[in-house]
Amino acid sequence: MFTRGSILSLKNCKIVSACLLALILLTGAAAAGQKTKPTLWYYPWSGHETGKLSDIKDKRKVYVMFFLGRVLPQDPLRTSYQQRIRNLLTRDGELELVERPEDAELAVYISSQDDALYEFYVLTRGEPQKDGGYKPRVVLKRLRSESMGSTALIEQAVSAFVDDLKAARGK
């Protein structure tokens, strides 16, 4: 019936099967225990909620994100431009800049890919997500493509936002 060689191979099959089962269980447990990256509420992805300026009238702490195409991060013009935007946001003491999105109550997202196109968003946290993050709630959105340079347009949009926020606060 069974020879000595076939018995050894049956034992080997059982050992290999047990090892594979253990490996599958460990891999599944590791994958289940692995955290997924939480939804970024401060980035205006396509599934965002829509809000109103009145949603943020009592919020002060702001996180600012810049995506400036065609300008290198170490470029002095980029640094001075970002500083001008930060100064506009904090000019009247209405907003306080924070370095981390976890510390923020609202976010400003600025993107400029060339001299005539820009995106300007003001966001806050929306509905909680299963991954521990929050859906982004877009409170203000300005997208423009004009012949006037985007730098000046973004500065105008930021200044108008701060003025509108002051008005919503009754100041």
Side-chain angles (χ1 to χ4, degrees):
M1 256 211 235
F2 290 110
T3 64
R4 185 163 198 236
S6 64
I7 293 174
L8 285 177
S9 65
L10 285 175
K11 268 189 189 178
N12 288 341
C13 285
K14 286 182 181 180
I15 292 171
V16 169
S17 296
C19 288
L20 285 174
L21 180 61
L23 182 64
I24 290 170
L25 291 174
L26 287 174
T27 304
Q34 202 174 44
K35 275 189 150 180
T36 59
K37 190 172 185 178
T39 306
L40 302 178
W41 66 270
Y42 49 91
Y43 183 80
W45 51 277
S46 62
H48 67 265
E49 299 173 3
T50 304
K52 300 176 289 208
L53 194 62
S54 59
D55 295 343
I56 62 166
K57 70 179 185 179
D58 297 327
K59 300 187 185 306
R60 298 186 105 41
K61 295 181 179 184
V62 62
Y63 174 70
V64 183
M65 291 178 27
F66 292 96
F67 291 99
L68 305 175
R70 297 178 28 183
V71 181
L72 297 173
Q74 66 272 20
D75 189 326
L77 291 175
R78 179 185 182 122
T79 306
S80 75
Y81 170 69
Q82 289 177 342
Q83 191 55 51
R84 285 196 318 267
I85 297 298
R86 287 183 174 103
N87 289 344
L88 284 171
L89 288 168
T90 59
R91 72 174 188 221
D92 297 326
E94 295 295 315
L95 297 169
E96 173 191 338
L97 297 177
V98 296
E99 295 296 319
R100 300 175 337 145
E102 300 83 29
D103 300 332
E105 298 170 314
L106 59 122
V108 169
Y109 172 93
I110 297 170
S111 174
S112 175
Q113 300 304 317
D114 57 37
D115 290 337
L117 174 68
Y118 82 89
E119 297 175 77
F120 174 76
Y121 291 88
V122 177
L123 307 106
T124 189
R125 288 176 179 86
E127 291 295 317
Q129 301 296 295
K130 291 178 183 176
D131 60 15
Y134 293 87
K135 198 170 200 176
R137 178 175 292 143
V138 174
V139 175
L140 179 66
K141 172 170 115 176
R142 297 217 169 107
L143 309 172
R144 288 214 179 146
S145 179
E146 295 185 16
S147 59
M148 185 177 174
S150 65
T151 318
L153 289 170
I154 292 172
E155 288 180 23
Q156 288 175 2
V158 170
S159 187
F161 159 64
V162 173
D163 290 342
D164 291 346
L165 184 61
K166 282 174 56 178
R169 293 176 175 172
K171 295 183 180 180

